[in-house]
Amino acid sequence: MTNLASFSRGLREFGLNVKDKSKQHVRDISSEVLRDIVNGTPVDTGHAVANWHVNLGAPDGKEINDIDPGRSSTISAGENIIRNCDPHSQVIFIENNLKYISSLEDGHSAQAPSGMVEIAIMNARNRNGL
């Protein structure tokens, strides 16, 4: 009986440990993608950069009236949301609702001729074996 109880406790602890690690793995990959997208976004005034934001559960469709030419405020705000979410019960959305963001993604800037999002996702896949 003791062996069965001990085995059961061990199995439960193992399951909780795996669940915690998988949550952290999703958070880490989401943060990597956010950083790559923001760092890859061309900077003129910083308006396109500042419009990258993270939402949980659903996209919000908002445009942000701000600039972030240094990129750090945008990354920090997004990582804070990612760090505090439960990716097993909340979908993480990284969005930018500027009318011209698709043009930037399609390479209409000499600063990012290959876009940002597709490259960020490819990099995350390569780094994490996905």
Side-chain angles (χ1 to χ4, degrees):
M1 185 80 127
T2 305
N3 289 337
L4 185 55
S6 176
F7 175 74
S8 179
R9 250 190 329 276
L11 192 57
R12 196 170 329 131
E13 289 172 11
F14 174 77
L16 291 173
N17 188 29
V18 168
K19 186 176 181 181
D20 287 344
K21 285 184 180 181
S22 69
K23 286 180 181 181
Q24 190 56 49
H25 191 63
V26 170
R27 287 184 195 112
D28 291 346
I29 292 171
S30 298
S31 289
E32 287 175 11
V33 169
L34 173 68
R35 284 190 303 272
D36 283 355
I37 290 171
V38 172
N39 286 326
T41 300
V43 175
D44 182 2
T45 63
H47 187 59
V49 170
N51 267 273
W52 288 111
H53 56 285
V54 176
N55 288 297
L56 302 175
D60 67 12
K62 294 179 183 174
E63 182 177 326
I64 298 168
N65 188 21
D66 202 356
I67 62 170
D68 185 12
R71 299 179 166 100
S72 60
S73 295
T74 300
I75 292 171
S76 179
E79 285 185 333
N80 189 46
I81 292 169
I82 292 168
R83 184 176 27 261
N84 293 301
C85 79
D86 179 357
H88 286 182
S89 65
Q90 297 171 302
V91 177
I92 300 168
F93 288 88
I94 300 171
E95 66 178 303
N96 188 317
N97 297 298
L98 292 178
K99 292 177 184 173
Y100 60 88
I101 201 66
S102 294
S103 294
L104 291 179
E105 177 62 23
D106 291 338
H108 292 269
S109 169
Q111 291 180 41
S114 300
M116 321 62 82
V117 176
E118 192 171 326
I119 289 173
I121 291 170
M122 184 178 60
N123 288 341
R125 285 181 173 159
N126 290 337
R127 281 190 298 254
N128 295 285
L130 304 172

